Structure formats: structure tokens, C-alpha cells
Amino acid sequence: MIDLRSDTVTKPSPEMWEVIARAEVGDDVYGEDPSVNLLEEKSAQLLGKKAGLFIPSGTMGNLAAILTHCERGSEIILGNKAHTFLYEVGGIAALGGIQSHILPNQQNGTLKVADIRQAIRMDDIHDPPTRLITLENTHNRCGGVALTLEYTRQVGEIAKEHQLKFHLDGARIFNAAAALKLDPAELVEPVDSVMFCLSKGLGAPVGSMLCGSSDFIKRARKTRKMLGGGMRQAGVIAAAGLYALEKNLPLLEQDHLRAADLARKLSSIKILSLEHQKPPSNMVYINLADDVPQDAEETALKLEKLGVLVGTTGERQIRLVVHLWIEDQDIDDVVQAFTEVLS
């Protein structure tokens, strides 16, 4: 099967399995796992932050960050298409008693600066206090678009002006850096905390990283423990993360090039329209024309019979995510499959 449902479907390569088998391990809750310690150190250095924390998942990473930054009864500002709002089971409300102030995401993944300013609560006895602004980069539901450094800095200035914290859901931050041709540390410099995933485009089997100041990570480590994320001999998965940062990180640009090739070839099918003529990163969002008799789910089922797995994100919208295990020939095979099911 050619699996384009997500970049989460990547599996360890034979070389990564060898690294996992040889991993040095210890008890991470005691701070004694050398592989975890090295991964946390390297991740923080890569993003220009003082410290890092190994987290089982991106969802837990965002949750731990928000719980660490905010107290019960406070409010955070985030977009209506943000992963934290749509896909994280309402964890910040259920577990943290934290309210979401939802703003409309623009097509380029941003929140309007004027909307952010207007959403910040004043010191009023009736209002929950605003404590945090959170953005997502790259932005999944906005087509995998990369938020620019200029915009991130602008939001960072607003946060400082109002003494708010600024968290970035950077699950695919290295895709954003590759798309913008920027140093990832420069891209996240304005934020107080950033989470990124090892198990998406980087190809590790499990795990995410949370990076920030030394004091923030010290407090987040206790939050992680409270959430059940304290792991013991976690070096067996941390070793995969170290391999991913060293070997797979430089390959992300190839994913973007293949996504662009896929979009260009699919554009020749007249009854398809692209959300972005040139994909911003490794995601290709396509829409079925109104006169196509089958919807996205039916199309996906027909594609599966031809050996292609895709994701559906709307009644007539399909998402294709290019990743480490997709080769040039796969792109041609996918286009051929679409041509057959839509003919």
C-alpha cells in the first residue's frame, strides 16, 4: 500500500532499528537515561532553547505546556482550526479547567493581529484572565502552510506587551523551517515554549519534544509526571529520536519536492482542484468538483482497492501527506490511481 493518510504512518528503517537495539538506557524518572538526556539536550540546542523534555506524544506535549503556563480558570487564545482545539479531546478544559478563546484561522494559518489584541482580557472581576497565546506551525488544517518569522515575531511582541506566555504547536516545525529556508531556532525564537513531533516526518516510532526555558521545563517535567508521562527505560525510543534528528531531518525537503510534484500532476485531472497550487510543505489538499458523483469517502475507498490510502478532511476534500517512505514512483502510481477512480 502507498499510505498517504499522514506522516505518522512512518516506520523505523533497518538502520533505526539497529540504533534502537543498541540504545543505552536508564531510569528516566530518576534522570538517569543517557539516551533521553542526550535527546533533550540536542533538541533544546537545535531550537535555541535552554532545556528540553521528552514526551510520549504531541498531544501530551501541548497539554503539558498549557497546564504549566496556565492556572485553572484562565483563558488561552488559539485558532478555530488549531490541532489543540480540534483533535486533543478537550484536554485543557477537562484536565486543566482552562477556557479557550477561539479566533478564526486565516487561509495562511495566522490569526488576525487585531483579533488577538481584541481577545486579550482586561483586568476585570468578571473575566477569566488571559494567560497564553498559542499558534501552530506548520498549520495542518490550513494546508500545511508555514507561518513566517515576521508574523511569529509580531505575535511574540503582543504577548510581551501584555505579559502573556506564547506557546507553539510545532509538531512539524522542521517542515516549516525547510519550507521557509530558515534556521529552526530563529523561527521559534519569539516563543516561550515549543513542541515538536519525532514520529511524523522525522520517522521515529514514538515521541515528541517540549522545549523552553530551564525553569519552564523543570515545571513541565512535573506536569508530565502528573499526566502519566513519566517513562522508565525510555532510551529505546529516545535513541530513535536521536537518529531521526541526525539522519532524517535533512530529508524533509525531499518530501516537499515530491508533494509539489504530486500536486502538479494531479492538477491535470480537470475535476480536481488544489487548495494550494504549490503545496506549502508536505501536504496536498484536493477538492472534488461539485459534478463528481462520488464524495471523498467513496473516492478513498476506491483508491484503497488500488493500493493507495488517503485521508478525508471534508465531504469533498482529500488530504495527501508525503513522507519519508514515499518514493518518486509512488507519486506516479498515486496519480494513475486517481485517474482511474475518477474516470
Side-chain angles (χ1 to χ4, degrees):
M1 300 294 287
I2 301 172
D3 196 340
L4 296 170
R5 290 172 299 170
S6 176
D7 43 11
T8 60
V9 301
T10 52
K11 297 177 182 178
S13 64
E15 295 79 11
M16 185 181 282
W17 279 120
E18 289 181 17
V19 169
I20 292 171
R22 298 195 306 268
E24 291 186 68
V25 300
D27 192 314
D28 179 48
V29 175
Y30 291 145
E32 296 174 354
D33 191 300
S35 297
V36 173
N37 293 342
L38 183 58
L39 176 60
E40 291 177 342
E41 179 184 341
K42 285 187 175 295
S43 297
Q45 289 176 351
L46 196 57
L47 292 183
K49 301 301 181 186
K50 292 295 184 181
L53 180 64
F54 189 34
I55 303 273
S57 73
T59 293
M60 184 183 285
N62 284 331
L63 178 59
I66 294 169
L67 293 183
T68 302
H69 284 308
C70 304
E71 70 275 11
R72 297 185 70 84
S74 59
E75 184 173 82
I76 71 169
I77 296 169
L78 73 167
N80 67 332
K81 294 184 179 180
H83 192 278
T84 297
F85 176 61
L86 292 176
Y87 302 121
E88 297 181 7
V89 207
I92 61 172
L95 303 179
I98 297 164
Q99 180 166 296
S100 295
H101 193 135
I102 304 302
L103 302 177
N105 277 110
Q106 305 306 297
Q107 190 174 5
N108 64 359
T110 65
L111 307 175
K112 287 184 179 179
V113 169
D115 287 350
I116 294 175
R117 289 189 179 279
Q118 190 172 6
I120 297 171
R121 304 272 192 167
M122 297 298 104
D123 186 11
D124 188 300
I125 193 171
H126 302 91
D127 296 345
T130 306
R131 288 288 180 260
L132 178 71
I133 303 170
T134 179
L135 298 177
E136 183 178 331
N137 198 10
T138 62
H139 202 293
N140 176 7
R141 286 306 304 273
C142 292
V145 68
L147 275 60
T148 66
L149 175 58
E150 292 72 22
Y151 175 75
T152 308
R153 282 175 173 166
Q154 196 172 8
V155 175
E157 287 301 316
I158 295 172
K160 287 181 181 178
E161 178 185 342
H162 293 273
Q163 298 181 315
L164 306 178
K165 295 301 182 180
F166 184 10
H167 173 66
L168 183 67
D169 176 352
R172 297 179 176 90
I173 191 60
F174 297 113
N175 288 96
L180 298 170
K181 300 189 185 306
L182 287 174
D183 184 326
E186 184 180 14
L187 189 54
V188 304
E189 188 277 329
V191 308
D192 295 295
S193 59
V194 54
M195 181 281 295
F196 71 85
C197 287
L198 295 160
S199 58
K200 290 187 171 73
L202 294 178
V206 67
S208 292
M209 297 301 304
L210 182 60
C211 298
S213 69
S214 298
D215 176 68
F216 168 77
I217 291 299
K218 181 180 179 180
R219 291 184 290 118
R221 192 176 296 276
K222 180 169 273 191
T223 306
R224 182 190 71 172
K225 178 65 175 173
M226 178 180 65
L227 295 173
M231 299 174 285
R232 299 300 177 175
Q233 287 71 36
V236 291
I237 48 178
L242 286 165
Y243 180 91
L245 290 177
E246 180 183 356
K247 301 293 185 180
N248 294 344
L249 179 55
L251 304 178
L252 291 177
E253 194 168 349
Q254 293 182 16
D255 297 340
H256 297 184
L257 292 173
R258 289 190 174 110
D261 187 40
L262 176 60
R264 180 179 60 81
K265 291 175 177 176
L266 285 174
S267 67
S268 65
I269 303 175
K270 302 304 181 183
I271 55 176
L272 294 179
S273 63
L274 296 170
E275 199 76 5
H276 298 274
Q277 286 302 312
K278 182 180 179 183
S281 57
N282 65 321
M283 297 183 187
V284 180
Y285 278 78
I286 59 176
N287 299 295
L288 300 173
D290 291 338
D291 57 353
V292 176
Q294 62 204 36
D295 63 13
E297 288 288 350
E298 292 173 296
T299 302
L301 288 172
K302 290 181 178 180
L303 287 167
E304 184 175 356
K305 292 177 181 178
L306 295 178
V308 176
L309 297 176
V310 299
T312 58
T313 51
E315 185 179 353
R316 306 191 71 78
Q317 188 176 71
I318 291 171
R319 185 185 77 159
L320 312 171
V321 185
V322 179
H323 51 77
L324 191 64
W325 291 105
I326 301 301
E327 302 291 344
D328 292 336
Q329 183 58 51
D330 295 329
I331 300 299
D332 291 333
D333 292 344
V334 169
V335 175
Q336 178 60 36
F338 267 94
T339 302
E340 287 188 34
V341 303
L342 294 174
S343 61

